[in-house]
Amino acid sequence: MNLPDVTDSRLPYVCLPSIHVAGDVVKKAGTGLGPREIDDYELLYFPDGSKSMYHIGGEAYMLKEPCFIVTRPGEHHRYEYDPYQHSRHMFIHFGFERNPGLIPPLEIMQPGGPSCIPIDSDLLVGMMKQILYISYSFPEKL
């Protein structure tokens, strides 16, 4: 397969990430994850508000409403899941190893970019669910 010369500015080019792993999990009340640092990007969707906490750097976010969490490579972070109820989240780990020089220049991809993003659109939730469906249905394509 011949790929276009991405140095030719006349050609539109989109650098799509490689999905490493994806899932939909429920965490037991009162448990946690981390502290940890990961080598790739992670996008999480918490569909329900709860008393779960996400800690990154010197910031702490209570996940009291449906939201997305974005963690970038090398960011030190941890989770404390709701002490009273189970916490569900969907996640996708991904990277740009096919074209590391072409990571989209979006604020959300940059170190120190936004970490907790409230849901303001059903479109984003639908896209997350569709990615998970495709990754489950066609794992050989990942």
Side-chain angles (χ1 to χ4, degrees):
M1 177 175 164
N2 293 330
L3 296 175
D5 177 4
V6 296
T7 61
D8 184 345
S9 62
R10 297 172 297 162
L11 295 174
Y13 184 77
V14 175
C15 179
L16 297 176
S18 300
I19 295 175
H20 302 153
V21 65
D24 186 342
V25 299
V26 176
K27 299 303 241 175
K28 185 176 177 182
T31 61
L33 177 64
R36 69 181 188 156
E37 291 181 17
I38 55 177
D39 295 329
D40 54 3
Y41 293 86
E42 183 178 35
L43 175 66
L44 298 98
Y45 168 55
F46 285 83
D48 303 306
S50 72
K51 295 188 184 316
S52 294
M53 297 290 295
Y54 176 62
H55 301 268
I56 184 161
E59 301 287 325
Y61 300 92
M62 181 179 282
L63 310 180
K64 59 186 176 190
E65 60 187 350
C67 64
F68 283 98
I69 297 289
V70 178
T71 304
R72 288 153 288 272
E75 290 183 330
H76 191 76
H77 64 284
R78 66 185 171 91
Y79 295 90
E80 295 172 13
Y81 299 113
D82 191 305
Y84 306 108
Q85 64 183 3
H86 296 314
S87 299
R88 176 183 177 214
H89 68 271
M90 297 169 215
F91 66 91
I92 302 171
H93 281 255
F94 62 95
F96 294 90
E97 51 278 334
R98 286 186 227 154
N99 293 298
L102 295 175
I103 296 172
L106 303 169
E107 181 183 2
I108 200 164
M109 305 303 287
Q110 306 304 313
S115 296
C116 185
I117 303 161
I119 302 298
D120 64 354
S121 167
D122 289 337
L123 175 64
L124 298 176
V125 174
M127 290 172 67
M128 180 82 168
K129 290 178 179 179
Q130 188 67 24
I131 292 169
L132 289 175
Y133 170 76
I134 291 168
S135 70
Y136 288 146
S137 299
F138 306 98
E140 70 282 359
K141 299 290 184 183
L142 296 180

